[in-house]
Amino acid sequence: MSYVPDNLSYTASHEWLEKIADGRYRVGITEFAQEQLGDIVFVELPETDEAYAQEDECGVVESVKTASDLYAPLGGTIVEVNEALEDNPELINDSPYDDGWIFVMEIDDDSDLDSLLNPEDYRNSIEDEE
């Protein structure tokens, strides 16, 4: 079974979120997602200072097998991207919850948080897929 840290929130589309400051969240894809994708070879990062609505496409992760869209887990503005992924996209495979984070966003509305999955619910959602 894929590792699902207890200190994060999750989306049904396999993004994780870590609260890093008031209204700011670090975002990446889960270990389960990177396992499904296989070896990641390219990441199209979102633009900083770009605003997205919740569930808008905001980037792409490409692997040797397929390409997968990234979705904004919350409505808000991208304030930082992990530029290390431009030269080392495999960081997502090696360290999806640490070095392989993808972007930081500042959210518009705390009510968007209500749609996120807690770790137990996310584990249950991927059990059927593993």
Side-chain angles (χ1 to χ4, degrees), residues 27-48:
V27 179
I29 64 170
T30 65
E31 182 174 290
F32 174 81
Q34 67 83 22
E35 288 170 348
Q36 298 299 306
L37 287 168
D39 293 334
I40 294 172
V41 296
F42 177 75
V43 179
E44 180 184 312
L45 298 167
E47 294 291 323
T48 55

Side-chain angles (χ1 to χ4, degrees), residues 1-126:
M1 174 138 199
S2 298
Y3 175 59
V4 178
D6 287 327
N7 64 319
L8 304 175
S9 298
Y10 301 88
T11 67
S13 56
H14 309 291
E15 286 88 16
W16 58 261
L17 295 89
E18 174 186 23
K19 184 175 185 173
I20 56 173
D22 212 24
R24 285 192 177 209
Y25 290 81
R26 183 175 290 125
V27 179
I29 64 170
T30 65
E31 182 174 290
F32 174 81
Q34 67 83 22
E35 288 170 348
Q36 298 299 306
L37 287 168
D39 293 334
I40 294 172
V41 296
F42 177 75
V43 179
E44 180 184 312
L45 298 167
E47 294 291 323
T48 55
D49 300 323
E50 189 75 27
Y52 293 92
Q54 188 174 30
E55 299 181 2
D56 277 357
E57 291 179 16
C58 64
V60 177
V61 176
E62 293 183 17
S63 72
V64 293
K65 292 198 278 187
T66 188
S68 181
D69 292 325
L70 288 171
Y71 298 95
L74 306 165
T77 302
I78 305 297
V79 295
E80 184 181 353
V81 296
N82 187 352
E83 294 178 3
L85 296 177
E86 291 175 353
D87 293 327
N88 298 300
E90 66 277 1
L91 288 172
I92 294 173
N93 292 118
D94 297 339
S95 181
Y97 299 114
D98 295 309
D99 297 334
W101 64 275
I102 299 172
F103 59 88
V104 174
M105 70 184 320
E106 192 167 277
I107 66 171
D108 293 333
D109 185 355
D110 284 348
S111 68
D112 284 354
L113 297 168
D114 296 339
S115 66
L116 299 177
L117 301 171
N118 64 41
E120 182 179 346
D121 289 341
Y122 182 71
R123 279 186 203 97
N124 290 338
S125 76
I126 64 173

